């Protein structure tokens, strides 16, 4: 193990995919394994990647070609279709509401908190009473968990609302040791090219419900074996799964590095930063501050989804947040390889 010094703010701010050069050889060895196996899809590496991700979460896990595949599987499993309402925070990427819209459902947007940029319990209570939704998305924005995740999950359970956690930003986060995606009925990760760890394209659904896991496996593969599930092709390839394995094994180190760098270099420069509650760890996909800063990667999202989609709902905190937060660049800098 090579000791990793913390680079300065300038270096931390140069964009880099969270891939560690020390993993290149191992990745190539895994790719050779696939080439030799003559099995490029639906093979053992998908299973290995799923097992790693599932073990981390204490759940089952099903790999997909993207977040969208996993989200559609979860929504379809919940029975979401035309005439249904799905709760969705407006402060998210358009992927989240569009998944519900794709299935013919109506989206009921909810406001977010100023402190965490995520949907609040009060907004979930309002929207459930108003819309009687079949399902809801809770999006963990920025790398931490929504501060009221536990209470929101409990409310959804009590009200019979199927809860999907959008964990696209939340790799490596935890709340009192518990992983994102384990509070609701399902959690869905993205491994898109800019995420804390990445496979270029990819996604993973986690859940403790065996019926949902079985459904998701059929959904990603045209409903095979018996076509009782109406799915299409949302599979991940073996080559992508190999990247996922080396990345998943490196996740704790990447998150530890980002947190060390944040404490040592960035916190002193940014007193008006997002503050986490006791017991929460952020994977620091984004380092969020509430003061305008000179060097920023911009905002997590510039324009809220309710505005992009023309919904005439008033979400004042979401609008405030869109104008008043910025992201300080913070990228993983692995130790260099020994000569
Ligand atoms: C919050 C959020 N949800 C969903 C997605 C969609 O992920 P994917 O591109 O893997 O479908 C993203 C990806 O950027 C995201 O940031």
């Amino acid at each position: 193990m090579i000791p990793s010094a913390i680079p300065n703010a300038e270096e931390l701010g140069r964009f880099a995919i969270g891939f560690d050069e020390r993993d290149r050889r191992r990745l190539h060895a895994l790719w050779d394994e696939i080439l030799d196996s003559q099995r490029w899809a639906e093979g053992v590496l998908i299973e290995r990647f799923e097992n790693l991700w599932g073990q981390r979460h204490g759940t089952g896990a099903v790999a997909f070609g993207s977040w969208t595949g996993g989200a559609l599987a979860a929504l379809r499993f919940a029975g979401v279709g035309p005439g249904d309402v799905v709760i969705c925070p407006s402060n998210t990427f358009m992927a989240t509401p569009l998944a519900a819209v794709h299935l013919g459902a109506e989206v009921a947007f909810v406001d977010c908190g100023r402190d965490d940029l995520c949907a609040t319990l009060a907004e979930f209570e309002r929207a459930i009473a108003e819309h009687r939704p079949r399902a809801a998305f809770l999006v963990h924005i920025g790398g931490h968990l929504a501060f009221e995740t536990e209470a929101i999950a409990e409310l959804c359970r009590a009200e019979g609302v199927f809860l999907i956690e959008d964990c696209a930003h939340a790799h490596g986060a935890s709340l009192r040791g518990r992983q994102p995606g384990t509070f609701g009925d399902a959690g869905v990760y993205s491994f898109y090219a800019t995420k804390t760890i990445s496979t270029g394209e990819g996604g993973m659904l986690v859940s403790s419900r065996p019926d949902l896991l079985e459904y998701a496996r059929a959904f990603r593969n045209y409903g095979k074996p018996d076509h009782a599930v109406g799915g299409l092709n949302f599979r991940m390839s073996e080559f992508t799964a190999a990247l996922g394995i080396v990345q998943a094994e490196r996740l704790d180190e990447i998150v530890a590095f980002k947190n060390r760098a944040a404490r040592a270099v960035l916190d002193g420069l940014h007193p008006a930063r997002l503050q986490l509650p006791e017991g929460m760890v952020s994977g620091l996909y984004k380092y969020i501050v509430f003061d305008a800063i000179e060097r920023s990667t911009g905002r997590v999202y510039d324009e809220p989804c309710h505005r992009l989609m023309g919904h005439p709902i008033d979400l004042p905190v979401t609008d405030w947040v869109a104008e008043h937060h910025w992201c300080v660049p913070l990228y993983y800098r692995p130790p260099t390889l020994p000569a």
Side-chain angles (χ1 to χ4, degrees):
M1 171 91 195
I2 305 159
S4 54
I6 301 293
N8 60 27
E10 167 102 19
E11 204 180 322
L12 288 171
R14 256 190 301 116
F15 175 78
I17 287 174
F19 180 74
D20 195 316
E21 273 304 318
R22 290 174 296 170
D23 294 329
R24 186 182 287 260
R25 272 213 192 145
R26 175 153 147 70
L27 176 63
H28 284 220
L30 287 172
W31 280 341
D32 278 342
E33 206 179 288
I34 300 164
L35 291 172
D36 292 343
S37 77
Q38 300 285 324
R39 184 152 188 180
W40 292 13
E42 300 182 64
V44 292
L45 294 199
I46 289 283
E47 248 174 69
R48 262 196 246 167
F49 184 26
E50 289 175 342
N51 288 341
L52 270 174
W53 209 255
Q55 271 160 22
R56 174 175 194 96
H57 288 78
T59 61
V62 181
F64 282 86
S66 69
W67 176 94
T68 297
L72 289 177
L75 288 168
R76 285 283 299 271
F77 175 81
V80 169
D84 290 320
V85 173
V86 175
I87 290 179
C88 185
S90 178
N91 184 35
T92 182
F93 182 48
M94 279 290 282
T96 326
L98 286 180
V101 168
H102 183 74
L103 297 179
E106 199 184 305
V107 172
F109 282 114
V110 290
D111 213 350
C112 66
R114 269 195 191 215
D115 296 338
D116 64 352
L117 281 57
C118 300
T120 63
L121 176 63
E123 276 292 272
F124 258 72
E125 284 169 344
R126 173 190 65 74
I128 288 174
E130 205 175 315
H131 300 287
R132 304 309 315 167
R134 184 178 288 275
F137 280 111
L138 177 61
V139 187
H140 302 302
I141 288 288
H144 54 275
L145 286 100
F147 290 179
E148 296 185 294
T149 295
E150 287 165 314
I152 288 170
E154 206 177 300
L155 172 71
C156 286
R157 250 190 313 279
E159 296 286 341
V161 176
F162 188 92
L163 182 62
I164 304 165
E165 294 172 65
D166 181 338
C167 305
H169 299 183
H171 312 69
S174 61
L175 175 56
R176 284 185 280 283
R178 197 166 159 189
Q179 301 286 306
T182 64
F183 296 85
D185 293 278
V188 187
Y189 284 86
S190 168
F191 302 119
Y192 177 66
T194 56
K195 303 304 185 209
T196 302
I197 63 163
S198 169
T199 58
E201 299 281 4
M204 188 78 83
L205 178 145
V206 294
S207 178
S208 296
R209 296 184 55 164
D211 49 352
L212 170 53
L213 295 166
E214 192 184 334
Y215 184 96
R217 281 200 183 92
F219 182 82
R220 76 171 169 193
N221 199 11
Y222 296 111
K224 281 164 82 173
D226 60 5
H227 305 285
V229 170
L232 288 167
N233 179 2
F234 297 101
R235 296 185 303 257
M236 176 184 276
S237 90
E238 286 287 283
F239 296 97
T240 304
L243 247 177
I245 289 167
V246 300
Q247 291 281 68
E249 286 174 351
R250 197 60 81 178
L251 176 56
D252 286 334
E253 197 171 330
I254 292 174
V255 168
F257 171 91
K258 285 186 140 196
N259 274 278
R260 271 201 316 276
R263 302 297 83 80
V265 181
L266 301 180
D267 287 1
L269 303 171
H270 301 289
R273 63 186 177 275
L274 188 146
Q275 303 275 0
L276 298 176
E278 200 57 38
M280 189 178 290
V281 174
S282 173
L284 284 173
Y285 172 56
K286 302 283 179 185
Y287 184 104
I288 295 166
V289 298
F290 296 103
D291 273 341
I293 46 172
E294 212 172 281
R295 210 159 144 256
S296 155
T297 54
R299 306 198 167 111
V300 183
Y301 300 110
D302 290 315
E303 189 146 18
C305 292
H306 74 288
R307 296 206 170 271
L308 287 167
M309 291 173 65
H311 281 218
I313 186 174
D314 187 27
L315 301 175
V317 186
T318 297
D319 285 338
W320 181 89
V321 157
E323 296 292 324
H324 292 91
H325 82 281
W326 292 266
C327 301
V328 178
L330 170 56
Y331 300 105
Y332 178 52
R333 291 269 164 243
T336 47
L337 285 169

